Amino acid sequence: MSILCVEWKTLEPCLDSRRRPQVGSPAVGRALAGYCCPSLRQPKIVEALLGYEIVQLACGASHVLAVSNDREVFAWGRGDNGRLGLGSLESYSSPQQVALPPEQEAHRVLCGIDASMVLTVQNRILACGSNR
């Protein structure tokens, strides 16, 4: 599994024996919660991702993106500036599947402070969020 974080955020993930994602740390709790719900103070299974094998995570200032082994992308946290890639500015406290353009498959995700990028298997860069 590959993990990327921005600035002072710390992501301390682990997969249990059944490959269920568990994430914990006060800083990441805020990002995972998207400031829409209380911070997580202890590791907690991300229940919306049960049944998916997560192969890569990226953490922004207040959002998280994940890639599954089936090349699906999930995003959650603050939606300001469209940084989640969900076509809205809404914030989500649990992972939402990101619709990629037809014929594009996710290889890796990156998060900045106000933006996100998906690097595709087809060698394309898909970007969303602030362009400042």
Side-chain angles (χ1 to χ4, degrees), residues 42-82:
Q42 300 207 359
K44 180 181 178 192
I45 292 173
V46 181
E47 293 188 17
L49 295 178
L50 290 174
Y52 295 95
E53 185 176 331
I54 301 303
V55 296
Q56 196 242 330
L57 292 170
C59 179
S62 57
H63 68 297
V64 178
L65 267 63
V67 178
S68 75
N69 68 328
D70 290 327
R71 306 204 180 280
E72 298 165 294
V73 175
F74 298 90
W76 65 104
R78 289 183 62 173
D80 308 43
N81 301 311

Side-chain angles (χ1 to χ4, degrees), residues 29-39 76-79 90-94:
R30 288 189 293 275
L32 294 175
Y35 296 103
C36 346
C37 58
S39 294
W76 65 104
R78 289 183 62 173
E90 289 186 54
S91 296
Y92 294 89
S93 59
S94 64

Side-chain angles (χ1 to χ4, degrees), residues 63-128:
H63 68 297
V64 178
L65 267 63
V67 178
S68 75
N69 68 328
D70 290 327
R71 306 204 180 280
E72 298 165 294
V73 175
F74 298 90
W76 65 104
R78 289 183 62 173
D80 308 43
N81 301 311
R83 74 183 96 188
L84 299 179
L86 298 171
S88 75
L89 304 178
E90 289 186 54
S91 296
Y92 294 89
S93 59
S94 64
Q96 306 294 309
Q97 190 165 1
V98 177
L100 299 181
E103 308 300 319
Q104 298 297 314
E105 295 179 303
H107 172 65
R108 187 172 179 183
V109 289
L110 303 161
C111 294
I113 293 172
D114 288 326
S116 302
M117 292 188 188
V118 177
L119 308 177
T120 70
V121 173
Q122 295 78 13
N123 294 315
R124 300 280 188 248
I125 298 172
L126 308 176
C128 56

